[in-house]
Amino acid sequence: MADLANTGSLQIRDVSKMFGTFRAVDGVTLDIERGEFLTLLGPSGSGKTTLLMMIAGFLDITQGDIALDGASIADVPAEKRNFGMVFQGYALFPHMSVRDNIGYALSVRKRSASEIKARVDEMLDLVQLQEFADRKPTQLSGGQQQRVALARALCFAPPVLLLDEPLGALDKKLRVEVQEQLKDIHRRVGTTFIYVTHDQEEALSMSDRIVIMRDGAIEQVGTPVELYERPATKFAASFLGKSNFITQGDKTYALRPEKIDLRLGQGGSDARVSGTIRSITYFGSMQRIIVDSVQGDEIEVDIDVWRNQEALTEGAKVDLLWQEAAAVELHDT
Amino acid sequence: MHALRKHIHPGWLIIAPLLVLVVALYLGPILNILWLSVTDPEPGFGNYAKLGESDALLRILWTTVRICIITTMFSVTLGYSIAYAMVHCHQRQKNYMLTLLLVSFWISILVRTFSWLMLLGRKGLVNVTLEDIGLIAEPIAFMRNEFGVLIGMIHYMIPYAVLPLLVSMQALDKRVMDASSNLGATGAQTFWRIYLPLTTPGLVASTLLVFILSLGFYVTPAVLGGGKVLMVAEYISVQLLVTLKWGTAAMLAALMLFGVLAMLWIMSRFMKLSTVFGGAAR
């Protein structure tokens, strides 16, 4: 097994990818630390998967350089990079048993049968699939296949694990469960995880850092808290969570719906905006209230249900209140 | 009517006319052949007993099987390479290749067989050229022997070999091969351990198709073999048209039918035939 203690940092320097005249990835520069759980988040067509494929070595880099622990890997073919990868749809080998799938990487490296067996057993323990070792992938559920793919990719102790929308095929309830398992496995193996998704909840709940991508370029990088609390642009604010946008003079502010308080009656001295309730939608733990402000803006307010002592009704006149710091100034036009 | 519906799905009534046609025009004659083989010229298994008595018959059968095996081996191997190239080249080139493949289907077997004579016969293009530039003194005997028959048959069979392989290769998930190389497998390892096993159903389908079609070859051995290479189909036609021994002909036909069925049965012991004939791979 490779020593993971001092390997697994990636340096991405001004990387671009052209498909004909289309610029899929546009001058991305990014430092990924060893052992980090980094998520590339963006809508489809934002270049996140293309960037991942260049890191994996399946796509050539048109411009720029990618380095592992400081040494360029741009010219190293995919099979020599030693990066694990969990594919979208898993891409398990359908003709092999779970055990053979997981042991494949060691088997093509011509390791001894006893070493492969020991390591595969270890991986089966890690993903809790001991009793499924002799099944074929098609005899497993989606969540189990996902774990086989993970074990297969981690079996040869790669310094970096790439995950391409690994939860895309699972239903919502299972996803939350698998997210927990993934986080747990990340903590235990200490490998650098690079995770591609378009699901903001996944990104927020699992990542050490998130890279928001848009049109092939990086929009903003930061921890989940930084990105949620201090989005830099309108795109970042609306892609990660929901946001209201309020214009004052030539400045635009992002304001999260749950950071607004709402009070019946109009004209309070501490009110920032007054308006009329247009609609109320009940979500169980909270209710979403749409307010038409007197300035003509539409403002969304999320209120905990338990706090709502007074019965709010559609058409009621209300004041909106929020802390000064809740409104975040945006830096794009 | 109501009582009938209970036992027979109404769908059967819709396909019944076709079913009757198939039975009458297809199964009927086949049964007739089987019947002939045990009744002509006299009732009993006399025709089948000839197999044990006649060296000539056995020699013909052996020639047929040998030629079919060699043809199948070469056609399928070459077909595999062609199908692989077609699947992995650019869409434009793929369309050209597919067109060429289909065009070769449309050219009559007679034309294709005689064009080999023009090319490789004693006074054919190749021999004349080689003689003119002085490489050989005597024409090389490409034709009028088993070698010639093989050239013609393999050439004819390659498109048939390609199609099932093409289908099975196109159905493969490319990411599975990516996964293999990502896990550190070399190109050769990916081919032998992933690609080949996953295209085996196509390979078996292609082998069966080529072998079974080869068994019934008639024109190519007759023309390119120059009368020296006698295969079963040609022998049957001689029995039917020249010596008028319909019983022997029917026996040989029945033998080929059972041979093919036996092959399918043996195959089915090793793998699910439905995957070979386009069913979902499991």
Side-chain angles (χ1 to χ4, degrees), chain B residues 210-232:
Chain B
V210 171
F211 188 83
I212 291 169
L213 285 177
S214 302
L215 277 177
F217 253 61
Y218 172 60
V219 172
T220 309
V223 174
L224 300 183
K228 290 180 210 154
V229 185
L230 198 54
M231 283 175 66
V232 170

Side-chain angles (χ1 to χ4, degrees), chain A residues 306-321:
Chain A
W306 62 269
R307 286 184 52 216
N308 180 21
Q309 305 295 339
E310 306 147 297
L312 296 171
T313 51
E314 288 174 12
K317 307 281 187 198
V318 289
D319 274 344
L320 300 182
L321 304 83

Side-chain angles (χ1 to χ4, degrees), chain B residues 55-81:
Chain B
D55 280 350
L57 261 179
L58 281 182
R59 205 167 53 243
I60 290 164
L61 284 175
W62 168 234
T63 307
T64 309
V65 170
R66 187 180 61 234
I67 288 180
C68 287
I69 289 174
I70 298 173
T71 301
T72 308
M73 271 168 29
F74 279 92
S75 310
V76 172
T77 311
L78 291 168
Y80 198 91
S81 329

Side-chain angles (χ1 to χ4, degrees), chain A residues 138, chain B residues 198 201 275 278-282:
Chain A
T138 45
Chain B
L198 289 181
T275 64
R282 281 271 166 255

